[in-house]
Amino acid sequence: MASAEAEAVDFEPEDDDLMDEDVGDGSPNRGAAASIPRLKSAITGGGSSAPKKTKGRGFRDEAAAEADRHARMSARFDSLDSEGGPGPERSIEGWIILVTGVHEEAQEDDLQNAFGEFGEIKNLHLNLDRRTGFVKGYALIEFEKFDEAQRAISEMDGTELLTQTLNVDWAFSKGPFRRRNMRRRSPRGHRSRSPRRRF
Amino acid sequence: MADGGYDGDFYLRYYVGHKGKFGHEFLEFEFRPDGKLRYANNSNYKNDTMIRKEIFLTPAVLKECRRIVADSEITKEDDINWPEPDRVGRQELEIVMGNEHISFTTSKIGSLMDVQTSKDPEGLRIFYYLVQDLKCLVFSLISLHFKIKPI
C-alpha cells in the first residue's frame, strides 16, 4: 500500500527525535497548559488523543528534568544491524520468542517439554513475580534457528499449558510497528478514543 | 488479562541514579509507543563504559509489559507521601497508559525496610515490586538479544 508507506516514512524521523526535541523548545509552559505536559504529545505521537490525567512530582520541574534526560539519552544507542521494516529481528545468537499466559505454578521443565520438540532451547527465562515468588506470566525462549522458532510459534500459539491458554510470538522486530497497527484499527487515519480503563 | 489489550498509547520510562564520586551513575530504560526499547546503564565504578542499547519489540512484548503495569495498579497510587529524591539517589517512573499519565519520583529504596517505615508503605510497596518486575523483564530482553550482562 503506497500511502501507508509514505505515512510510515514521515512518522519515523519525528519519533526518533523525541528526546532531542524536548530540550529545544524551552518555552515556559505554566498555568492551565501545565496540566497537559508537552511531553505527552511527543510521546504519544500526535495531538489527537484526549487530554490525559496527570499525577506525580515528576511534573514539577519538567524543563530541568528534560534537560537532564536529554544529556543522558541523546547519545547514540547501539543496536544490531537491521534492515528495518516489519518482520522478526535476529538476536546475536539466535531467535527469541515470547510466551505469555504462562501459569504461575509452571516450572522450567513444563516449558522445556512443550517447546523442546521444535529444537534445542538455547536459553529459557521464566521470570518470577518479585512479590509472590510465583511465575510472572511470561517466558522468553531462544532457539538457534529461525525455522525452529517459527514452528514453535505457529504450533504453540493458542494451545493450553496447565489449564491456561498460551500466546506465542516473536519478541523482537526489525522496525517500529505503531503506524501499521493504528492503520488497521482505524482506516481513516485518526483513532477513536480508547475505552476508559478500570482505574 | 482484562487490561492487556493493545489499545491507546503506552509509554514507560524508569530511571534510577545518583551523582557521586564516580560521576553520574544511572540506569534508565524506556518503552516507546512504536515498540522501541532503549536501555542505558552508566556505571563508572569498575569501568567507565556507558552501555546504550536499543531494539524494537513486537506488539506482543509491549502488551505483556502493559499487562504487568496494569495488574500492579500503580496508576492508582500517588508519590506525594513518598520519600523525596536525595543525595543518595533518585528514581523516576513515568508511564502513559490509556488516559493516565503518571510521573513519580522518589529516593532510592534499599530494602523493604525503607518501604515499611515510609509514610505510604502500601503505595511504595507497589512501586518497589513493579520496578523490580520491569527491570527483570528488561534485563532478560537486553541480555538475550545482545548477550550482555546488563548489571
Side-chain angles (χ1 to χ4, degrees), chain A residues 68-119:
Chain A
D68 270 2
R69 193 158 64 238
H70 178 73
R72 293 195 301 270
M73 300 293 266
S74 60
R76 206 187 132 64
F77 281 66
D78 305 330
S79 56
L80 302 186
D81 279 342
S82 168
E83 57 243 59
E89 166 91 334
R90 190 185 193 280
S91 299
I92 289 233
E93 289 174 3
W95 297 86
I96 320 285
I97 62 170
L98 173 77
V99 185
T100 56
V102 180
H103 195 279
E104 63 174 12
E105 291 181 59
Q107 311 268 325
E108 288 202 4
D109 277 356
D110 297 321
L111 287 145
Q112 280 283 355
N113 291 339
F115 287 86
E117 64 174 281
F118 305 105

Side-chain angles (χ1 to χ4, degrees), chain A:
Chain A
M1 220 201 286
S3 60
E5 217 78 273
E7 260 196 89
V9 167
D10 72 19
F11 177 74
E12 280 174 47
E14 63 179 76
D15 185 59
D16 268 344
D17 291 346
L18 187 145
M19 285 176 160
D20 316 333
E21 267 171 36
D22 288 339
V23 168
D25 170 20
S27 54
N29 193 10
R30 293 291 165 237
S35 63
I36 309 164
R38 203 158 21 89
L39 201 55
K40 178 219 69 183
S41 62
I43 288 168
T44 56
S48 61
S49 44
K52 306 233 185 281
K53 277 200 328 231
T54 61
K55 189 164 59 178
R57 296 186 300 222
F59 293 108
R60 274 189 202 160
D61 199 0
E62 258 199 288
E66 282 177 17
D68 270 2
R69 193 158 64 238
H70 178 73
R72 293 195 301 270
M73 300 293 266
S74 60
R76 206 187 132 64
F77 281 66
D78 305 330
S79 56
L80 302 186
D81 279 342
S82 168
E83 57 243 59
E89 166 91 334
R90 190 185 193 280
S91 299
I92 289 233
E93 289 174 3
W95 297 86
I96 320 285
I97 62 170
L98 173 77
V99 185
T100 56
V102 180
H103 195 279
E104 63 174 12
E105 291 181 59
Q107 311 268 325
E108 288 202 4
D109 277 356
D110 297 321
L111 287 145
Q112 280 283 355
N113 291 339
F115 287 86
E117 64 174 281
F118 305 105
E120 191 196 334
I121 293 176
K122 311 295 279 184
N123 266 300
L124 170 61
H125 287 207
L126 182 60
N127 293 339
L128 304 182
D129 183 302
R130 294 310 171 102
R131 186 176 59 84
T132 64
F134 287 108
V135 164
K136 189 68 197 171
Y138 66 91
L140 289 156
I141 299 177
E142 176 171 2
F143 289 101
E144 188 182 344
K145 299 193 180 75
F146 175 88
D147 291 349
E148 297 166 343
Q150 179 67 75
R151 269 189 63 220
I153 292 169
S154 48
E155 292 189 29
M156 292 305 291
D157 186 36
T159 59
E160 259 189 24
L161 182 74
L162 306 176
T163 73
Q164 279 187 203
T165 303
L166 299 181
N167 284 106
V168 188
D169 206 339
W170 299 105
F172 301 115
S173 172
K174 284 179 179 157
F177 64 83
R178 186 165 188 262
R179 182 58 69 169
R180 278 203 333 274
N181 263 38
M182 282 170 61
R183 187 149 282 276
R184 201 182 310 135
R185 289 171 50 79
S186 174
R188 282 181 303 281
H190 60 81
R191 289 172 303 154
S192 52
R193 281 184 55 175
S194 316
R196 254 195 81 64
R197 315 200 74 83
R198 75 184 142 91
F199 29 78

Side-chain angles (χ1 to χ4, degrees), chain A residues 11-12 14-20 37 39-40 42-45 49-60 62 65 68-69 71-80 88-94 96 98-101 122-125 127-132 136-138 140-142 167 169-181 185 191 193-199, chain B residues 1-11 13 15 19 24 26 28-30 32-40 50-64 66-71 73-85 90 92 94 96-107 125 129 132-133 136-147:
Chain A
F11 177 74
E12 280 174 47
E14 63 179 76
D15 185 59
D16 268 344
D17 291 346
L18 187 145
M19 285 176 160
D20 316 333
L39 201 55
K40 178 219 69 183
I43 288 168
T44 56
S49 44
K52 306 233 185 281
K53 277 200 328 231
T54 61
K55 189 164 59 178
R57 296 186 300 222
F59 293 108
R60 274 189 202 160
E62 258 199 288
D68 270 2
R69 193 158 64 238
R72 293 195 301 270
M73 300 293 266
S74 60
R76 206 187 132 64
F77 281 66
D78 305 330
S79 56
L80 302 186
E89 166 91 334
R90 190 185 193 280
S91 299
I92 289 233
E93 289 174 3
I96 320 285
L98 173 77
V99 185
T100 56
K122 311 295 279 184
N123 266 300
L124 170 61
H125 287 207
N127 293 339
L128 304 182
D129 183 302
R130 294 310 171 102
R131 186 176 59 84
T132 64
K136 189 68 197 171
Y138 66 91
L140 289 156
I141 299 177
E142 176 171 2
N167 284 106
D169 206 339
W170 299 105
F172 301 115
S173 172
K174 284 179 179 157
F177 64 83
R178 186 165 188 262
R179 182 58 69 169
R180 278 203 333 274
N181 263 38
R185 289 171 50 79
R191 289 172 303 154
R193 281 184 55 175
S194 316
R196 254 195 81 64
R197 315 200 74 83
R198 75 184 142 91
F199 29 78
Chain B
M1 276 213 270
D3 283 297
Y6 183 76
D7 53 353
D9 303 311
F10 181 71
Y11 172 84
R13 186 181 61 82
Y15 162 92
K19 289 164 184 162
H24 185 193
F26 68 91
E28 183 160 29
F29 55 78
E30 179 185 57
R32 299 211 201 180
D34 63 355
K36 187 187 275 182
L37 169 66
R38 286 180 133 190
Y39 170 86
M50 165 86 122
I51 297 170
R52 282 198 184 90
K53 302 284 182 193
E54 64 182 25
I55 171 68
F56 283 103
L57 307 171
T58 57
V61 179
L62 274 217
K63 185 176 167 187
E64 183 66 0
R66 190 181 179 129
R67 178 194 68 87
I68 291 170
V69 172
D71 285 357
E73 303 192 316
I74 186 72
T75 55
K76 281 186 180 170
E77 302 304 325
D78 197 319
D79 61 355
I80 194 148
N81 286 316
W82 298 358
E84 293 266 7
R90 172 183 188 88
E92 301 173 5
E94 179 175 8
V96 179
M97 189 164 77
N99 194 34
E100 318 263 357
H101 186 173
I102 59 163
S103 183
F104 292 164
T105 65
T106 189
S107 61
R125 189 178 301 115
Y129 283 118
Q132 291 196 49
D133 286 333
C136 187
L137 172 63
V138 169
F139 292 169
S140 276
L141 291 167
I142 294 292
S143 66
L144 282 170
H145 187 65
F146 294 99
K147 293 294 166 188

